[in-house]
Amino acid sequence: MDSDTFEIIIHLVSALIAGGIIGLERSFHGRPAGFRTHAIVCMASSMLMLVTLYQWEWLPQIYIENIRSDPTRMAQGILTGIGFLGAGVIFKEGPTVRGLTTAASVWITSGIGILIGIGFYIPAILATIFTLCILTLFRWIEEILPSHYFAHFTVKFDQNKILPEYELVSFLRNSGFTTANMSYRLSDDKLTFEYKMIIRTANQKNLAKLAVDLRTQIEGMASFHISPSSD
């Protein structure tokens, strides 16, 4: 085995390991693009960069002497293609958009594969470590930092028992919520009236408490729907 072949193997194995490590974190949290996806993305990116890095291995000598290729164009093509793959893991669930973090992790995994493909091992190792820190440690930091939680809230009342808006807003305020973007809708059969809004709270537990309070304290309510907004 010559030195070039050995280096190519090192590139591909390193990319496989780096992508697999990031993918394991995504798989652990049940994300659509997990262990295998990230491993393939990273290794494929490295493999395609090796095509330009080791041109003398596959191009005839006459072409090597007369052609000057730009490896950065390959990197641009890889990242463009990964954009389509990343878009595939983003999906809309009702009013909530999910998969943005997974799409970002696929994108940076591709970048790590490119770094490994051209032999920039130190920045590739650092990028892998930093990516894992963002996906794990930053999740913990987000949980302990004070923040606001948003949810899309819809409530329907029987036409003859509609709760006045000011009473509904007051009820939500007493439950720890503020409201925004209020909209109204009367059903086609004119049997129910609907309030739809975005609610905000500083305590995530208030969402579960609100569901209980709505069931036990509001009369004339036909139905309600609380959909938290998150990645």
Side-chain angles (χ1 to χ4, degrees), residues 2 22 88 93 115:
D2 58 37
I22 296 173
E93 184 179 301
L115 290 175

Side-chain angles (χ1 to χ4, degrees), residues 19 60 79 86 97 135 137 139 165 169 213:
L79 293 176
V97 177
L135 294 175
L137 180 61
R139 181 192 301 272
E165 180 181 341
V169 172
D213 292 344

Side-chain angles (χ1 to χ4, degrees), residues 55-132:
Q55 295 177 67
W56 62 85
E57 294 284 351
W58 55 277
L59 277 177
Q61 189 63 33
I62 186 174
Y63 291 110
I64 293 293
E65 296 173 353
N66 295 286
I67 295 178
R68 294 294 181 268
S69 65
D70 183 5
T72 61
R73 297 184 64 182
M74 175 65 79
Q76 293 171 356
I78 293 171
L79 293 176
T80 299
I82 292 301
F84 290 97
L85 181 61
V89 301
I90 301 174
F91 60 96
K92 190 171 184 293
E93 184 179 301
T96 301
V97 177
R98 300 183 181 276
L100 294 173
T101 303
T102 299
S105 70
V106 170
W107 184 71
I108 196 170
T109 299
S110 174
I112 292 170
I114 292 173
L115 290 175
I116 294 175
I118 61 178
F120 277 17
Y121 289 108
I122 298 301
I125 291 171
L126 289 176
T128 302
I129 294 172
F130 292 158
T131 300
L132 287 173

Side-chain angles (χ1 to χ4, degrees), residues 1-182:
M1 182 185 300
D2 58 37
S3 60
D4 286 345
T5 301
F6 180 76
E7 287 183 7
I8 290 172
I9 292 174
I10 294 298
H11 284 291
L12 293 177
V13 172
S14 300
L16 178 64
I17 293 172
I21 291 173
I22 296 173
L24 282 174
E25 193 280 336
R26 294 284 84 191
S27 290
F28 178 76
H29 290 97
R31 297 302 187 259
F35 175 67
R36 292 182 299 171
T37 302
H38 283 75
I40 289 174
V41 165
C42 195
M43 189 175 67
S45 300
S46 177
M47 176 186 67
L48 291 173
M49 288 306 297
L50 288 173
V51 171
T52 59
L53 192 64
Y54 289 90
Q55 295 177 67
W56 62 85
E57 294 284 351
W58 55 277
L59 277 177
Q61 189 63 33
I62 186 174
Y63 291 110
I64 293 293
E65 296 173 353
N66 295 286
I67 295 178
R68 294 294 181 268
S69 65
D70 183 5
T72 61
R73 297 184 64 182
M74 175 65 79
Q76 293 171 356
I78 293 171
L79 293 176
T80 299
I82 292 301
F84 290 97
L85 181 61
V89 301
I90 301 174
F91 60 96
K92 190 171 184 293
E93 184 179 301
T96 301
V97 177
R98 300 183 181 276
L100 294 173
T101 303
T102 299
S105 70
V106 170
W107 184 71
I108 196 170
T109 299
S110 174
I112 292 170
I114 292 173
L115 290 175
I116 294 175
I118 61 178
F120 277 17
Y121 289 108
I122 298 301
I125 291 171
L126 289 176
T128 302
I129 294 172
F130 292 158
T131 300
L132 287 173
C133 288
I134 292 170
L135 294 175
T136 55
L137 180 61
F138 281 27
R139 181 192 301 272
W140 175 76
I141 293 175
E142 276 186 334
E143 291 176 353
I144 64 175
L145 283 176
S147 61
H148 287 124
Y149 300 91
F150 293 83
H152 295 262
F153 176 54
T154 303
V155 59
K156 294 182 181 180
F157 293 94
D158 295 333
Q159 174 67 357
N160 299 324
K161 298 181 180 179
I162 300 175
L163 186 70
E165 180 181 341
Y166 72 90
E167 290 188 19
L168 177 61
V169 172
S170 177
F171 173 82
L172 292 170
R173 187 181 300 113
N174 293 334
S175 298
F177 292 90
T178 58
T179 62
N181 299 342
M182 180 79 74

Side-chain angles (χ1 to χ4, degrees), residues 197-223:
M197 70 202 79
I198 296 175
I199 55 177
R200 183 184 71 180
T201 181
N203 188 346
Q204 191 174 22
K205 294 181 180 179
N206 285 341
L207 293 171
K209 183 178 180 298
L210 176 62
V212 175
D213 292 344
L214 287 168
R215 294 198 308 269
T216 58
Q217 300 180 24
I218 301 296
E219 296 182 0
M221 184 179 60
S223 66

